[in-house]
Amino acid sequence: MKAIVLEGVNQSVALKEVPTPTPQKGEVQINIKAAALNHRDVWIQKGKYAGLKYPAILGSDGAGVVTQMGEDVDKQLLGKEVIINPGHNWGANPEAQRKEFKILGMPDQGTFAEYICVPSQYVFTKPAHLSFEQAAALPLGGLTAYRTLFTRGALQTGQKVLITGIGGGVALIVLKFCLAVGAKVWVTSGSDSKIEKAISLGAQAGVNYKAEKWHESLQQQAGGFDLIVDSAAGENFPKLIDLAATGGKIAMYGGTQGTIKDIIPGRIFWKQLSILGTTMGNEGEFASMTQLVSTKHIVPVIDKTFPMAEAEQALRRMDNSEQFGKIILQIY
Ligand SMILES: NC(=O)c1ccc[n+]([C@@H]2O[C@H](COP(=O)([O-])OP(=O)(O)OC[C@H]3O[C@@H](n4cnc5c(N)ncnc54)[C@H](OP(=O)(O)O)[C@@H]3O)[C@@H](O)[C@H]2O)c1
């Protein structure tokens, strides 16, 4: 089969011929039709990820058709259009994943390939209203967004939410989920045109985080936020503490801008703030997420679809923050 292979740190990925995997007991083989990038793929390429192993076939997100099954798998799955839950081995505790938790696409083979084999419990019916490209945009970001907003953030209809860095793949799914449940959303971005696009999707307004005193202008526009969703961290994070409403929550699933400094403790405790860490989610949350997407006919925002052979250009587009939404690979 053809696959996108990464041979080592800071190498370009390349389209190669590799052996096709066959399903083991309890596994299904899926012919991937479309895959999607996550920032994780860029981190792995740069060597900034734990447990790296090369050569690697990256990719956590995929949608396709079940083509073969190992023993002990429901034969009715054959020919079904499916998406894959990329979070494996969460464990029994809904509060946090166990140490065996792993994400599809490192150390195991990922979705940037014509075929993949995964345990059948991670295979879910593709929401009927989504194309393969739209469905491939959903799994990792949708799962992360679901746990962030509903399990950790306990989001309620009518609440005010701030989403930072709205161009991001996860951030835009967070926006779609917020709108679907009737929350009011403000955004930040490093690009004015991305803010305009977010407003056209239903956000109230937004500010450019590169502008001086951006947080003061946001405070004037919106007042305090009930929930702030962030994956940037870094030097702007203390401003989020100022922007949170009294009793509000800040939920974070990433740290793209690095270490957080200069937090004034009193601003957290006197405001009764909750700062919540969150990562992907468990199998129940994945099922609830696909249910929400199907019931509310949510369609993920797609930035651009690349042919499989242009995977390296797709990774560079993400690395340069050029995207607005999910970057898709069309698999042969
Ligand atoms: N813990 C988890 O389970 C989990 C799951 C998914 C992702 N993540 C992490 O979350 C981050 C985002 O992932 P992704 O796949 O959505 O990546 P992505 O599509 O590459 O999005 C990253 C976004 O970060 C925004 N950004 C850059 N600098 C910023 C700043 N100073 N302030 C606010 N936003 C800034 C940019 O938004 P603009 O273009 O609008 O400026 C950019 O589009 C990554 O660090 C990733 O590793 C973690």
Side-chain angles (χ1 to χ4, degrees):
M1 69 169 180
K2 292 203 165 33
I4 298 297
V5 181
L6 175 65
E7 300 280 0
V9 176
N10 288 328
Q11 306 279 308
S12 294
V13 294
L15 186 64
K16 298 225 161 125
E17 195 65 35
V18 300
T20 303
T22 49
Q24 305 300 302
K25 189 174 176 182
E27 287 187 342
V28 297
Q29 183 198 61
I30 297 162
N31 175 207
I32 300 284
K33 301 287 187 192
L37 271 64
N38 288 284
H39 214 96
R40 177 178 193 268
D41 305 308
V42 173
W43 295 133
I44 292 172
Q45 190 182 33
K46 292 182 171 182
K48 294 181 179 172
Y49 208 85
L52 295 171
K53 256 176 52 183
Y54 302 102
I57 297 173
L58 302 181
S60 307
D61 281 333
V65 176
V66 174
T67 37
Q68 263 193 64
M69 282 156 313
E71 282 173 53
D72 289 351
V73 175
D74 180 359
K75 299 295 175 242
Q76 300 213 355
L77 278 173
L78 193 64
K80 286 264 183 305
E81 297 185 347
V82 294
I83 56 173
I84 308 165
N85 175 0
H88 297 187
N89 297 338
W90 178 281
N93 179 7
E95 297 297 324
Q97 71 278 26
R98 57 183 177 163
K99 71 173 182 349
E100 291 83 6
F101 181 71
K102 57 182 179 176
I103 303 167
L104 202 61
M106 179 70 75
D108 299 335
Q109 184 213 306
T111 55
F112 298 172
E114 283 181 285
Y115 291 91
I116 190 170
C117 291
V118 292
S120 63
Q121 78 252 37
Y122 301 121
V123 171
F124 286 72
T125 304
K126 175 173 83 62
H129 67 289
L130 299 180
S131 67
F132 281 114
E133 286 78 11
Q134 291 164 340
L138 190 63
L140 194 148
L143 179 59
T144 305
Y146 188 91
R147 185 173 171 87
T148 302
L149 290 176
F150 303 116
T151 310
R152 303 289 279 143
L155 181 64
Q156 303 293 318
T157 301
Q159 284 192 322
K160 286 199 286 184
V161 180
L162 171 64
I163 307 169
T164 65
I166 196 60
V170 181
L172 274 163
I173 300 180
V174 172
L175 172 66
K176 288 274 182 144
F177 287 2
C178 284
L179 297 174
V181 300
K184 289 200 169 103
V185 179
W186 280 258
V187 301
T188 73
S189 176
S191 148
D192 292 345
S193 74
K194 290 185 188 182
I195 294 170
E196 288 311 314
K197 284 186 193 165
I199 292 169
S200 72
L201 288 174
Q204 305 286 317
V207 299
N208 191 320
Y209 57 69
K210 291 178 180 162
E212 219 183 314
K213 301 196 175 161
W214 61 270
H215 66 298
E216 287 180 14
S217 125
L218 198 51
Q219 208 148 30
Q220 279 159 16
Q221 285 179 30
F225 292 98
D226 302 300
L227 176 63
I228 299 177
V229 177
D230 182 62
S231 67
E235 66 177 24
N236 273 334
F237 193 87
K239 298 188 176 87
L240 302 182
I241 291 170
D242 294 342
L243 283 166
T246 303
K249 303 183 181 83
I250 302 174
M252 61 187 296
Y253 57 82
T256 310
Q257 297 300 308
T259 309
I260 300 167
K261 295 186 192 130
D262 300 327
I263 285 183
I264 299 167
R267 299 228 170 117
I268 297 178
F269 67 74
W270 196 250
K271 283 176 86 171
Q272 309 270 358
L273 295 189
S274 301
I275 298 182
L276 307 164
T278 185
T279 275
M280 291 179 67
N282 58 42
E283 287 161 37
E285 287 163 327
F286 194 88
S288 302
M289 182 275 289
T290 57
Q291 184 74 40
L292 175 73
V293 167
S294 294
T295 313
K296 302 272 186 182
H297 284 84
I298 295 168
V299 179
V301 178
I302 290 182
D303 169 65
K304 190 170 174 183
T305 301
F306 287 83
M308 192 178 183
E310 291 176 20
E312 180 58 26
Q313 288 94 311
L315 285 160
R316 298 285 62 78
R317 182 170 175 82
M318 172 168 274
D319 196 16
N320 295 331
S321 270
E322 288 166 31
Q323 81 276 26
F324 184 80
K326 295 294 287 188
I327 299 172
I328 306 295
L329 290 184
Q330 183 81 56
I331 307 294
Y332 299 120

